[in-house]
Amino acid sequence: MSNPFVQIVEPLDPKQPLKKFFNLSKLKDVRYAHLPFSIRVLLEAAIRNCDEFLVKKEDVENILNWKLVQHKNVEVPFKPARVILQDFTGVPAVVDFAAMRDAVKKLGGNPEKINPICPADLVIDHSIQVDFNRRSDSLQKNQDLEFERNKERFEFLKWGSQAFKNMRIIPPGSGIIHQVNLEYLARVVMDQDGYYYPDSVVGTDSHTTMIDGLGVLGWGVGGIEAEAVMLGQPISMVLPEVVGYKLVGNPQPLVTSTDIVLTITKHLRQVGVVGKFVEFFGPGVAQLSIADRATIANMCPEYGATAAYFPVDDISIGYLIQTGRDKETVMSTKKYLEAVGMLRDYKDSSQDPDFTQIVELDLRTVVPCCSGPKRPQDKVAVSDMKNDFETCLGAKQGFKGFQIAPDRHSSRVKFNFEGCDFELAHGSVVIAAITSCTNTSNPSVMLGAGLLAKKAVEAGLTVKPYIKTSLSPGSGVVTYYLRESGVMRYLSQLGFDVVGYGCMTCIGNSGPLPESVVEAITQGDLVAVGVLSGNRNFEGRVHPNTRANYLASPPLVIAYAIAGTIWIDFEKEPLGVNASGKKIFLKDIWPTGNEIQAVERQFVIPGMFKEVYQKIETANKSWNALDAPSDKLYTWNPKSTYIKSPPFFDNLTLALQTPKTIEDAYVLLSLGDSVTTDHISPAGNIARNSPAARYLTSRGLTPREFNSYGSRRGNDAVMARGTFANIRLLNKFIDKQGPQTIHFPSGETLDVFDAAERYKQAGHPLIVLAGKEYGAGSSRDWAAKGPFLLGVKAVLAESFERIHRSNLVGMGVIPLQYLPGEDAGTLGLTGRERYTIVIPEKLNPQMNVQIKLDTGKTFHAIMRFDTDVELTYFRNGGILNYMIRKMAS
């Protein structure tokens, strides 16, 4: 059927009649001007894609009627303009596509139907580790090791870029996915197939929201959901509430964008914005650069919202010009946004739309701060850091506690490093990393760090040699302006050499610490510290030996590296003493805002963006030299330990199987609150005593060749064994942290995988019990695929993180939520019972289902299939099964 809104289509420029757009102003609907700008993007996509099949006129009406229906759990479809992936999530996506082609062929269909319809970009940025640092050749050595470890994965991705249409690969060494998206990939307005329309994106990384800072609506989705979008399916979403976040005032001179985002993160966690859009407005927004806005939008997952949207304004348009975008295209972008009422003037309050609720932050109240020691929302003012850390040391084990006995707070351990004697204590900094697109995309904080380094070196300050310092910029542009402005050599003198272009320390690719440092930490049972300019500091993520990890701005990362400890009050204590015996305080070397702005104006120019990005797809010689097969069907290598055909579709038939009641399930794990995807499916190092290590050893690999879990996401045998393998996992069945559980039929304590295998061999289904925010953290499809392969049929939790719930649905694992006011404690659940979950024949979204225990007790829980589309996926055994049946038939 033709689009019922075709009457509002017209050329943007009469001189170019073939370039059209849907002119929303011609709807002549008074509701449009009151819609939040983020909802206007959803509306335009619904109107443009309206076919009365996937998208209906009723959906358009629901979006227009947002003010009245926002609280009613109304489901609407959304077709994003494009998809973005990084390699940790991209490899399993391409593996799934390759396996789906095999499955479609097996069922008698055309395998080449499995092909991205929606444009997709895959940026390889998650594979590089900090193996070498503090040397001028660190970058080259780390990149060489990256290719040595990942050659097979990279060859597979190169095959994918050739075998699948509409998929572009950005080679390793180019930068971090979200910074490359911000500086290069984002269009703001699409010009495709003869139409202009708003750029929008979903990504297989939770921090896809960073692009919201430029006015491109985007958020993270599960890898499984992204694959469906790539195949032309719309996202089925509940029309969200939109929280208006009003910014007023000007930040204080010493405050950075990092301080602002950590303040907002804590504030919005308290407000409660899970499942909602946040849209920024107010005169304070006009004081923020696009880089500042992108920093705030980047940490959207940490404050729990779906998106953190900054509508496009003239500063956004200026950023497109600054970053070297084509000027004629930029002018068309502005003209289109003006025509459809999507260009914002933050100082004009008459443009303020309706919001679900409004919260406000006066930027003048923001103070320099960090977040930690275990969660990004636990903000601590820099002036309180010393006292807060001391309190955390003795506090009960938890998010703000390490339970160190008072008589051990002053413990010190001497050690030798490179022939010199040093001493470690609680609070000693052993990792200091300027890392992550959250901050490396922002010239003001990066140049601020460089200027602070310059002043520190000139004042005679140094960083202790055993501290693992690193600088991993989000793009080559950063290196360009740090070098051109003259500050790079000072960063290098303090140990902050460029070690690679990728996420690195922020995702746990921090590499090994010196053995003598690890021995000292272990000997003294010390709470050693990592300080990083990242967005995540969950336990066990950054490094196994740093129990405390703090998020901080790049200048503060250097400051704490120089101090060597987190246990310091910068206002009263010096950073250090120079060779002349002079005490140097942080205030003595902190650069002023005017100094930073002057350098930024001079050195951050369009020419450098053009120079870096015009060769981004061809600059990596190692990538260019890779030899990839040209077949449309992938030839799986049975000897490979990186790429393996997954078993998801082995028994798939065209006929649907009726979902059955889950009978007498055992509980595999009983977990608490805030269990993250890092706990469920770690990305970091593979422990030598783990089931995954035993598997790799049986395949002839040495520990040096294990690489990381993240790099092996194309191999289900490794990933199933790595599920719940985080050493910081706290299972209530076990009285200590570790990746183990009780196998109840035998009473034995086993590694989680080994217990699951025993249950599977005996034909016993499994469930997991959890608390609040189950699945928080990074978007990670293996956090759903792994439990599925272990035999987990359902997860019963107090609440779910949005993307993870979607991933569970995508794999056919049932997300069950306790009824309001109930939890395992109030129901008296120990987890040692056996559970029968009654699945009725007639299913409805968010229906209550009965759960029977072998003790005779019964209770009800909410089955969190939130939409009819999700129920369709469940009946098919998951979203990929649904797509295969659709393509094969």
Side-chain angles (χ1 to χ4, degrees):
M1 179 179 172
S2 64
N3 191 311
F5 295 95
V6 71
Q7 75 276 6
I8 67 169
V9 173
E10 62 181 44
L12 182 63
D13 183 347
K15 296 175 183 175
Q16 293 181 298
L18 297 180
K19 289 198 169 187
K20 303 172 183 177
F21 75 112
F22 283 80
N23 190 346
L24 303 189
S25 65
K26 290 203 168 179
L27 290 171
K28 293 187 168 45
D29 194 312
V30 294
R31 294 173 294 179
Y32 179 67
H34 296 278
L35 291 177
F37 283 69
S38 51
I39 300 298
R40 296 179 200 185
V41 178
L42 299 184
L43 176 67
E44 191 283 337
I47 287 173
R48 178 168 36 85
N49 291 295
C50 189
D51 59 0
E52 289 295 2
F53 175 58
L54 289 173
V55 185
K56 300 178 179 179
K57 282 184 77 173
E58 179 188 355
D59 299 316
V60 172
E61 175 60 24
N62 280 333
I63 299 172
L64 271 168
N65 214 24
W66 170 83
K67 189 173 183 179
L68 293 179
V69 304
Q70 59 176 304
H71 307 293
K72 297 181 179 178
N73 281 329
V74 171
E75 174 192 351
V76 295
F78 174 54
K79 278 194 162 188
R82 53 193 180 91
V83 174
I84 193 164
L85 312 97
Q86 35 89 339
D87 55 303
F88 270 15
T89 50
V91 166
V94 179
V95 166
D96 286 347
F97 268 54
M100 288 168 77
R101 278 193 170 179
D102 291 343
V104 168
K105 183 181 180 185
K106 184 178 169 184
L107 292 175
N110 177 6
E112 289 193 44
K113 279 189 176 180
I114 299 295
N115 207 68
I117 296 166
C118 182
D121 293 300
L122 193 158
V123 182
I124 301 174
D125 67 349
H126 273 50
S127 300
I128 191 165
Q129 295 183 189
V130 191
D131 290 287
F132 294 90
N133 68 309
R134 284 182 175 257
R135 45 192 291 173
S136 59
D137 61 352
S138 295
L139 172 63
Q140 189 58 53
K141 283 192 163 293
N142 287 328
Q143 287 182 336
D144 289 345
L145 257 182
E146 177 189 23
F147 264 82
E148 181 185 320
R149 289 176 177 138
N150 297 285
K151 184 171 183 281
E152 193 178 329
R153 293 171 66 242
F154 292 169
E155 284 175 343
F156 175 69
L157 286 175
K158 196 165 185 180
W159 165 80
S161 69
Q162 297 167 358
F164 297 108
K165 299 170 187 171
N166 239 355
M167 181 187 288
R168 171 171 50 176
I169 305 280
I170 304 297
S174 303
I176 302 174
I177 176 173
H178 307 305
Q179 188 162 342
V180 173
N181 193 18
L182 184 74
E183 295 176 351
Y184 176 62
L185 297 174
R187 283 78 144 175
V188 178
V189 169
M190 302 291 287
D191 175 4
Q192 193 150 325
D193 300 328
Y195 283 90
Y196 291 105
Y197 51 94
D199 188 6
S200 58
V201 63
V202 292
T204 57
D205 188 283
S206 51
H207 295 103
T208 300
T209 53
M210 182 169 176
I211 203 61
D212 289 332
L214 184 57
V216 175
L217 185 63
W219 62 86
V221 296
I224 304 152
E225 197 173 8
E227 290 168 34
V229 173
M230 289 164 70
L231 291 169
Q233 291 294 109
I235 287 174
S236 181
M237 61 185 293
V238 173
L239 193 62
E241 297 179 10
V242 182
V243 175
Y245 199 92
K246 188 174 185 178
L247 295 176
V248 299
N250 292 324
Q252 296 179 35
L254 298 182
V255 166
T256 67
S257 58
T258 316
D259 305 319
I260 295 171
V261 72
L262 296 180
T263 301
I264 290 173
T265 298
K266 182 174 183 179
H267 185 197
L268 284 176
R269 272 285 172 188
Q270 293 167 339
V271 170
V273 292
V274 173
K276 303 175 184 179
F277 283 4
V278 173
E279 185 167 307
F280 292 86
F281 75 111
V285 179
Q287 308 303 317
L288 301 176
S289 68
I290 294 302
D292 291 339
R293 298 176 196 180
T295 297
I296 293 166
N298 176 285
M299 286 192 70
C300 173
E302 283 63 54
Y303 40 86
T306 300
Y309 192 62
F310 288 82
V312 180
D313 68 346
D314 282 336
I315 293 175
S316 318
I317 299 297
Y319 178 83
L320 293 177
I321 293 169
Q322 183 196 25
T323 50
R325 265 77 164 202
D326 176 68
K327 287 187 179 179
E328 190 175 320
T329 303
V330 173
M331 291 306 103
S332 296
T333 295
K334 184 174 182 179
K335 186 174 183 179
Y336 168 80
L337 294 168
E338 287 174 331
V340 294
M342 292 191 198
L343 190 68
R344 188 76 163 93
D345 180 353
Y346 288 101
K347 294 177 182 177
D348 181 359
S349 60
S350 70
Q351 287 189 9
D352 293 351
D354 293 331
F355 292 113
T356 308
Q357 72 177 109
I358 291 174
V359 290
E360 184 173 309
L361 175 68
D362 188 337
L363 293 172
R364 291 170 295 189
T365 65
V366 178
V367 297
C369 57
C370 300
S371 275
K374 301 181 185 182
R375 295 191 304 181
Q377 63 261 42
D378 294 330
K379 184 193 79 163
V380 187
V382 170
S383 57
D384 295 334
M385 281 287 284
K386 183 175 183 179
N387 290 337
D388 187 80
F389 181 74
E390 187 166 7
T391 301
C392 289
L393 266 187
K396 183 181 176 182
Q397 182 74 34
F399 298 126
K400 292 288 286 185
F402 297 101
Q403 211 162 330
I404 303 295
D407 62 339
R408 291 185 45 242
H409 284 200
S410 57
S411 296
R412 294 183 174 275
V413 179
K414 295 183 184 299
F415 70 101
N416 188 276
F417 178 75
E418 294 183 346
C420 297
D421 292 328
F422 296 97
E423 194 174 67
L424 284 184
H426 294 299
S428 290
V429 173
V430 294
I431 290 177
I434 298 176
T435 181
S436 170
C437 52
T438 309
N439 285 293
T440 66
S441 61
N442 195 325
S444 65
V445 292
M446 294 303 289
L447 288 167
L451 291 170
L452 184 139
K454 179 176 185 288
K455 293 186 177 191
V457 169
E458 290 170 347
L461 296 176
T462 59
V463 175
K464 293 181 178 68
Y466 63 81
I467 296 176
K468 187 157 193 178
T469 47
S470 61
L471 167 59
S472 49
S475 80
V477 172
V478 181
T479 308
Y480 202 133
Y481 66 65
L482 290 177
R483 189 173 59 238
E484 291 296 304
S485 61
V487 298
M488 181 63 87
R489 65 190 182 99
Y490 298 103
L491 287 162
S492 295
Q493 282 179 255
L494 293 180
F496 290 89
D497 296 280
V498 173
V499 294
Y501 297 96
C503 300
M504 304 189 87
T505 301
C506 189
I507 58 163
N509 286 0
S510 48
L513 288 173
E515 284 188 24
S516 58
V517 171
V518 173
E519 287 169 5
I521 293 169
T522 306
Q523 180 187 331
D525 191 24
L526 299 176
V527 179
V529 176
V531 185
L532 64 154
S533 64
N535 47 42
R536 294 254 164 93
N537 55 341
F538 299 126
E539 230 180 337
R541 178 183 176 96
V542 174
H543 193 281
N545 295 111
T546 56
R547 284 155 71 184
N549 295 283
Y550 287 90
L551 306 182
S553 66
L556 280 176
V557 170
I558 295 176
Y560 280 113
I562 293 169
T565 180
I566 211 81
W567 210 336
I568 182 174
D569 183 340
F570 286 135
E571 293 179 10
K572 299 174 183 175
E573 300 171 67
L575 278 177
V577 179
N578 66 15
S580 306
K582 183 184 177 183
K583 293 179 179 179
I584 309 296
F585 288 81
L586 181 57
K587 63 184 179 184
D588 299 330
I589 61 170
W590 194 271
T592 67
N594 287 338
E595 287 178 285
I596 296 169
Q597 287 171 16
V599 176
E600 184 175 349
R601 274 194 301 268
Q602 184 177 354
F603 293 103
V604 183
I605 55 175
M608 64 176 57
F609 288 90
K610 287 180 179 175
E611 185 173 333
V612 168
Y613 282 113
Q614 68 185 3
K615 55 188 179 186
I616 191 170
E617 293 178 52
T618 58
N620 192 315
K621 294 178 182 176
S622 299
W623 174 264
N624 297 340
L626 286 177
D627 186 26
S630 57
D631 301 335
K632 295 298 181 185
L633 291 175
Y634 188 69
T635 305
W636 305 97
N637 178 1
K639 295 181 180 179
S640 173
T641 56
Y642 278 105
I643 307 298
K644 179 177 174 290
S645 181
F648 306 137
F649 318 121
D650 285 356
N651 301 312
L652 185 65
T653 61
L654 281 174
L656 280 180
Q657 307 296 315
T658 304
K660 295 176 182 175
T661 289
I662 299 166
E663 296 192 15
D664 286 329
Y666 281 96
V667 176
L668 180 63
L669 294 155
S670 179
L671 306 169
D673 295 340
S674 296
V675 171
T676 71
T677 50
D678 283 300
H679 290 112
I680 305 166
S681 182
N685 293 333
I686 297 172
R688 295 187 181 193
N689 60 348
S690 65
R694 292 195 290 274
Y695 167 79
L696 291 170
T697 301
S698 74
R699 300 297 299 269
L701 274 67
T702 64
R704 184 178 175 274
E705 298 168 305
F706 286 173
N707 211 333
S708 64
Y709 282 113
S711 68
R712 292 193 179 273
R713 285 186 183 161
N715 186 321
D716 62 271
V718 174
M719 296 310 295
R721 288 165 173 80
T723 303
F724 297 112
N726 191 310
I727 60 170
R728 301 295 180 197
L729 183 74
L730 191 57
N731 177 11
K732 293 179 182 178
F733 296 151
I734 309 291
D735 59 3
K736 61 180 181 179
Q737 288 183 328
Q740 293 189 312
T741 195
I742 295 173
H743 177 254
F744 288 112
S746 68
E748 290 180 69
T749 298
L750 301 171
D751 287 331
V752 174
F753 174 80
D754 295 334
E757 279 295 287
R758 284 216 201 161
Y759 284 123
K760 190 186 293 185
Q761 287 163 8
H764 297 310
L766 297 170
I767 68 168
V768 170
L769 300 183
K772 300 180 183 71
E773 296 180 342
Y774 180 77
S778 300
S779 159
R780 198 162 289 175
D781 57 342
W782 269 109
K785 289 175 175 175
F788 170 83
L789 291 177
L790 294 187
V792 173
K793 303 298 182 186
V795 177
L796 176 57
E798 292 177 56
S799 64
F800 292 89
E801 193 277 338
R802 177 185 61 83
I803 299 174
H804 184 63
R805 187 199 64 81
S806 169
N807 273 334
L808 290 173
V809 171
M811 287 308 299
V813 177
I814 304 173
L816 294 170
Q817 190 164 313
Y818 292 104
L819 297 180
E822 294 184 352
D823 56 34
T826 63
L827 293 169
L829 307 180
T830 66
R832 296 170 184 267
E833 311 89 351
R834 295 182 73 175
Y835 292 66
T836 294
I837 301 162
V838 180
I839 309 297
E841 204 169 304
K842 182 172 169 47
L843 297 173
N844 296 306
Q846 296 197 350
M847 70 184 295
N848 289 358
V849 294
Q850 187 183 50
I851 300 175
K852 302 175 183 178
L853 307 184
D854 63 344
T855 60
K857 183 182 181 70
T858 65
F859 63 97
H860 287 81
I862 305 164
M863 187 184 279
R864 285 293 311 277
F865 297 122
D866 290 355
T867 66
D868 286 323
V869 171
E870 290 186 345
L871 284 172
T872 300
Y873 296 155
F874 175 60
R875 292 188 187 98
N876 277 271
I879 193 171
L880 301 184
N881 292 2
Y882 167 77
M883 292 305 303
I884 289 170
R885 287 190 175 105
K886 183 179 174 184
M887 296 295 181
S889 59

